[in-house]
Amino acid sequence: MSDEDARGTGPRDRAGDDAPEPDALAATAEAAVRTAGKYLAERFRDGGTVGDYGTDDVKAEADEAAERLIFDRIRADFPDHALRGEESGRPGDGPVEWIVDPLDGTNNYAVDYPSIATAAAARVGDDTLVAAIHEPLVDDCYVAVRGDGARLNGDPLTAAPRDRPLDRSTVSLIVGLPAVRDADRRAEADRIRAALRDRCKRVLETWSPCVDWGLLARGSVAGVVCAYPDPFEQEAGELLAAEAGAVSAAGGRYYVGAADEATLAALVKTLPDGTVG
């Protein structure tokens, strides 16, 4: 995704006649993820992490409950909008489509590891207009509006590059389920992981992509490399990174975001040739 594509010509130029103002969408997105986040935090601390365990994923009971809370909050403000959730998978119809990940980091949640988030993004056509990500266990809430910047707990946010070389920096690696579930893609991700370790001080894998996106947006990590990413986190994450000032390169299978152009170029070199533009 180019920087021009990421920022567009301003939120109100792209929203369309039938779409609400982006500020209204952002307020609803933040309220929705905070509502679900509060529920998840309470269940986490009460030991409410029961779920079905598979070989490569977990479905916690809290996923569906959190998704219902987000949907209900969005419907209260925008009853005619389409809702697409990771659990329900029903796109629906409407002038705006909401893409929701109610519990990002379910595997972490299921083993009481405190690295989780909840996310919602609103799209009109091909444009993601707003995004909100809430990390309920630390109570950090990121909100991004296309063309109008990003905020963390209400304060302006920037992915300011840190004055250190890549070999002294931390980079996040996100491997989506399409790679985890395919032997060839999993081997490809293993090669990328090894290449990143050769270039970076540390390769971080949180198993909660929205947490990684927040780290990039606030300048805590030098970059994020996504292999076969899942769309439910990616929609919110890409907009947050772009509006925080991160630079990026993307292709059909990969996305790379970084705090500066030099880091971006170095990270792209770790990927198979021709996979990002």
Side-chain angles (χ1 to χ4, degrees):
M1 180 181 294
S2 70
D3 190 59
E4 179 181 357
D5 288 339
R7 288 192 170 271
T9 57
R12 291 167 180 79
D13 296 332
R14 296 287 193 96
D17 293 338
D18 296 331
E21 289 293 313
D23 289 347
L25 294 172
T28 297
E30 179 174 2
V33 297
R34 283 189 178 276
T35 298
K38 180 180 179 182
Y39 164 80
L40 291 172
E42 290 172 351
R43 290 293 304 275
F44 184 90
R45 292 172 182 131
D46 290 342
T49 57
V50 176
D52 295 325
Y53 291 75
T55 57
D56 54 30
D57 200 11
V58 174
K59 291 297 181 184
E61 292 176 356
D63 283 87
E64 293 183 0
E67 186 172 280
R68 286 195 298 271
L69 288 170
I70 293 174
F71 281 8
D72 288 347
R73 186 62 185 80
I74 294 170
R75 287 193 186 106
D77 291 343
F78 305 113
D80 62 332
H81 287 188
L83 302 174
R84 179 184 172 196
E86 187 174 32
E87 301 308 308
S88 63
R90 56 180 186 272
D93 297 310
V96 178
E97 180 186 42
W98 290 83
I99 299 174
V100 173
D101 188 347
L103 175 49
D104 175 42
T106 311
N107 284 278
N108 295 338
Y109 188 81
V111 298
D112 301 323
Y113 182 72
S115 180
I116 62 171
T118 183
R123 290 174 57 88
V124 174
D126 294 330
D127 295 324
T128 304
L129 298 185
V130 306
I133 292 173
H134 185 218
E135 293 183 46
L137 300 180
V138 294
D139 197 22
D140 277 345
C141 193
Y142 302 87
V143 178
V145 176
R146 187 181 182 94
D148 200 33
R151 293 182 176 273
L152 170 58
N153 299 328
D155 295 325
L157 185 65
T158 180
R162 299 192 176 186
D163 187 19
R164 65 179 64 147
L166 190 57
D167 62 4
R168 298 181 187 177
S169 298
T170 296
V171 170
S172 287
L173 174 63
I174 298 169
V175 180
L177 281 176
V180 173
R181 291 173 172 167
D182 180 272
D184 291 338
R185 292 175 177 178
R186 191 165 58 247
E188 191 175 295
D190 287 341
R191 291 191 293 272
I192 292 167
R193 184 180 292 108
L196 287 171
R197 285 173 176 164
D198 286 342
R199 289 178 176 267
C200 308
K201 177 182 179 180
R202 181 187 181 192
V203 178
L204 180 66
E205 295 186 70
T206 68
W207 284 38
S208 179
C210 287
V211 172
D212 299 84
W213 288 109
L215 291 172
L216 176 61
R218 67 200 299 169
S220 297
V221 297
V224 168
V225 176
C226 304
Y228 298 90
D230 299 313
F232 293 97
E233 306 97 11
Q234 199 73 11
E235 292 290 340
E238 282 197 33
L239 183 65
L240 174 63
E243 291 302 326
V247 292
S248 65
R253 297 176 292 166
Y254 294 96
Y255 170 94
V256 183
D260 58 75
E261 293 285 356
T263 301
L264 178 67
L267 294 177
V268 167
K269 289 180 180 178
T270 66
L271 303 180
D273 290 341
T275 54
V276 299

